[in-house]
Amino acid sequence: MNAFALIRTLAGIAVAGFILLPVASVLISAGGASPEVLLSYEVVAAVKLSLLTATLSTLLIVIIGTPVAYHLARSDSALRRFLEVALNLPMVLPPAVAGIALLAAFGREGILGRYLASIGIALPFTTTAVVIAQTFVALPLYVRSARAGFASVSRTFEGASYTLGASEFTTFLRVSLPLAKSAVLAGVIMSWARAMGEFGATIMFAGNFVGRTQTMPLAVYSALQVSMDKALVLAALLILISFIILFTFEIIPKRRYADA
Amino acid sequence: MLEVYIIKRFPSFELNVQLKLGREVLALLGENGSGKSTTLKVIAGLVTPDEGYVRIGNTLAFHSELGINLPPQRRSIGFVFQELALFPHLNVYENIAFGLKVRGYSKAKVNEEVEAIMHTLGLAELRFHMPSELSGGQKQRVALARALVVKPKLLLMDEPFSALDQRTKQEVREEVRNILETFSIPAIIVTHDYEDAAILADRICVLSNGRIENSEPAGAPELFEVVST
């Protein structure tokens, strides 16, 4: 074995160990925690809230993100460039900044929030705020993936569909979407995972109230100050969920249709 | 049947085509980049010209001055693409049924029409095959069946044999000729191959640098000179 190959092998082992050791440590330590911790009110509430909010925000993301992704893949309008920049922003912003930005917009004194408050709608520190924060940070991930999927569908298929009498919408549903399916599904999973893990924007904009806005990542942070056991159990649950997500992502058929 | 006068400007090229089609098969013959495929797409409504008009039967499909521009869905044209563009996620039956289903026909009606055309074109055995499992000639027949089953007024075929090897090509060309006869539908076939044109078409138009150079009954020997120079 030459020196370079040795370095590569050692680096590989180091990286795997560096990532797997802390993860394994959480799982091992959490295994020692008492079962009551797992069923404690805070833990159960956090798991329920996380699953609910991440699923709701992913639904919202798919509903508003899919037409946007298709538009980005197909249009050359000025709107496209503008959207491009707007969509990249949440990905480079630190989550805490995203949280402040959401407060500045939708907070009680916010640019839009003060009008919402005047008609009796208060968003901050509600479960709705959690969904908004998750949507804000996870939307770009979905749009990027779905957009790449739509862009890879040859326009000739759409042209063929039009000449056969299908409207643009029917063509989208029956041709473009099925052909972009794996990228769209990948986007769904990535944005759901991002929403599950959201911390910074949520704690700033939605606060940290058990059962209302305390999602699993927030609960880990809170639990750490009281009981290491509880924090470990929550962390272990998040790791398991992440693992299931990654595994699902792996087994989605990455079907590439042969040019037909 | 069809009357076309169109101008479409590109940065380094101008397409300026005038042609009339009766109840016949016309071959549009030309080199790569002569504008033949674009002409077909303009007729089908997939590309919008800058000026001119397109009349299909009694329907004015495009008229720049009158501001008429029917979408492809409303032009009643069957289009067979160079890549064939069979939907890769649908099987043979579903591909052929596509145009009927989107018209909202009943299941029974769709089934009846699809079965009939599959029978005529010898595709019945292949109904559950995916496009990727078909030979070049079979794909061509499915593409034709899909285009013809909705009973278009006019059939357009863009380089129908370019993806086939020489041996298959002769066989498929013969099939296409029989199909065109069976359905007796007016058609324009775009090709760069004089032999295709001579075998399939009643009349040949030569397109060169975006303009129709020559229009003669098929088989005129001097045409070959025009193309090869």
Side-chain angles (χ1 to χ4, degrees):
Chain A
M1 191 186 273
N2 65 38
F4 185 50
L6 185 68
I7 290 170
R8 283 189 324 230
T9 309
L10 288 176
I13 293 170
V15 166
F18 179 63
I19 293 170
L20 290 180
L21 180 71
V23 170
S25 307
V26 168
L27 294 175
I28 291 163
S29 315
S34 66
E36 293 94 77
V37 175
L38 187 62
L39 297 172
S40 71
Y41 174 70
E42 286 92 343
V43 172
V44 173
V47 172
K48 272 192 196 163
L49 188 72
S50 271
L51 292 175
L52 174 75
T53 52
T55 305
L56 281 178
S57 48
T58 304
L59 271 176
L60 195 62
I61 285 167
V62 170
I63 291 167
I64 57 181
T66 306
V68 172
Y70 188 70
H71 180 79
L72 287 174
R74 282 293 181 257
S75 158
D76 294 317
S77 66
L79 176 67
R80 191 183 66 91
R81 294 225 157 172
F82 180 71
L83 266 173
E84 205 86 61
V85 176
L87 273 165
N88 281 330
L89 212 49
M91 300 217 291
V92 295
L93 285 182
V97 174
I100 289 283
L102 288 171
L103 269 179
F106 302 112
R108 241 174 270 279
E109 307 292 320
I111 299 291
L112 195 66
R114 68 181 78 138
Y115 299 106
L116 291 175
S118 70
I119 55 168
I121 299 174
L123 292 175
F125 313 116
T126 62
T127 305
T128 310
V130 177
V131 174
I132 292 174
Q134 291 175 348
T135 303
F136 188 83
V137 296
L139 179 67
L141 289 174
Y142 173 75
V143 172
R144 282 178 85 90
S145 183
R147 174 236 182 116
F150 290 130
S152 73
V153 175
S154 159
R155 285 188 191 213
T156 311
F157 292 128
E158 290 167 357
S161 175
Y162 298 156
T163 64
L164 290 167
S167 67
E168 287 189 32
F169 185 60
T170 304
T171 300
F172 172 77
L173 285 183
R174 295 202 179 194
V175 178
S176 321
L177 193 58
L179 290 177
K181 195 172 68 184
S182 54
V184 170
L185 279 180
V188 168
I189 289 167
M190 281 192 285
S191 61
W192 193 80
R194 179 70 185 83
M196 277 300 286
E198 217 302 306
F199 179 83
T202 308
I203 205 162
M204 305 281 284
F205 182 51
N208 189 9
F209 304 103
V210 177
R212 185 145 56 100
T213 71
Q214 192 184 75
T215 55
M216 290 172 77
L218 272 62
V220 172
Y221 174 75
S222 295
L224 197 57
Q225 289 153 35
V226 199
S227 137
M228 183 67 176
D229 264 9
K230 202 174 265 181
L232 281 168
V233 165
L234 277 161
L237 284 174
L238 271 172
I239 288 171
L240 284 178
I241 291 170
S242 306
F243 180 78
I244 292 168
I245 291 168
L246 285 178
F247 190 70
T248 320
F249 188 65
E250 257 336 284
I251 58 172
I252 289 180
K254 307 265 184 318
R255 193 145 154 208
R256 286 270 165 267
Y257 292 104
D259 233 0
Chain B
M1 173 59 229
L2 174 75
E3 209 180 320
V4 177
Y5 170 62
I6 46 138
I7 296 175
K8 171 92 184 163
R9 294 180 196 92
F10 295 95
S12 60
F13 176 72
E14 187 188 272
L15 184 67
N16 185 329
V17 171
Q18 196 164 4
L19 63 85
K20 276 187 181 173
L21 183 77
R23 296 205 63 83
E24 60 184 335
V25 176
L26 174 80
L28 204 51
L29 189 63
E31 303 285 325
N32 288 337
S34 58
K36 10 184 237 314
S37 289
T38 309
T39 303
L40 278 201
K41 287 182 176 146
V42 165
I43 296 171
L46 294 167
V47 169
T48 306
D50 297 317
E51 277 173 50
Y53 63 89
V54 175
R55 185 179 59 75
I56 303 161
N58 297 320
T59 312
L60 201 50
F62 178 81
H63 196 295
S64 55
E65 277 167 31
L66 298 177
I68 294 172
N69 188 10
L70 290 187
Q73 289 89 340
R74 293 178 53 204
R75 292 197 180 195
S76 189
I77 279 177
F79 202 113
V80 176
F81 290 83
Q82 182 171 6
E83 316 84 316
L84 300 179
L86 297 179
F87 302 127
H89 59 303
L90 302 179
N91 66 27
V92 167
Y93 181 96
E94 292 163 335
N95 260 284
I96 300 172
F98 188 90
L100 299 167
K101 281 186 186 162
V102 300
R103 281 171 174 71
Y105 290 175
S106 74
K107 232 178 169 172
K109 168 89 171 153
V110 171
N111 196 46
E112 186 187 317
E113 302 276 334
V114 175
E115 289 296 337
I117 204 160
M118 283 199 306
H119 186 77
T120 311
L121 299 190
L123 293 166
E125 308 288 301
L126 300 170
R127 76 189 70 206
F128 298 123
H129 284 61
M130 299 306 282
S132 56
E133 299 163 355
L134 303 177
S135 71
Q138 290 167 336
K139 283 183 194 167
Q140 184 68 254
R141 272 185 282 151
V142 176
L144 271 164
R146 184 178 70 172
L148 291 171
V149 77
V150 294
K151 302 192 170 66
K153 288 186 207 159
L154 170 70
L155 180 69
L156 305 177
M157 297 182 84
D158 191 1
E159 295 279 4
F161 314 115
S162 62
L164 305 173
D165 60 70
Q166 196 57 36
R167 201 157 46 93
T168 327
K169 177 174 159 165
Q170 287 178 7
E171 204 181 298
V172 175
R173 196 164 55 192
E174 206 52 47
E175 276 179 16
V176 169
R177 196 165 82 133
N178 292 335
I179 291 166
L180 289 175
E181 260 168 37
T182 309
F183 287 84
S184 72
I185 180 173
I188 300 178
I189 297 170
V190 152
T191 179
H192 62 272
D193 183 336
Y194 175 75
E195 215 182 305
D196 291 349
I199 289 177
L200 289 166
D202 304 316
R203 189 156 62 92
I204 298 175
C205 273
V206 176
L207 193 61
S208 174
N209 286 321
R211 280 165 196 273
I212 303 275
E213 275 202 346
N214 207 333
S215 178
E216 294 286 332
E222 67 275 20
L223 271 176
F224 195 65
E225 312 295 325
V226 176
V227 179
S228 57
T229 48

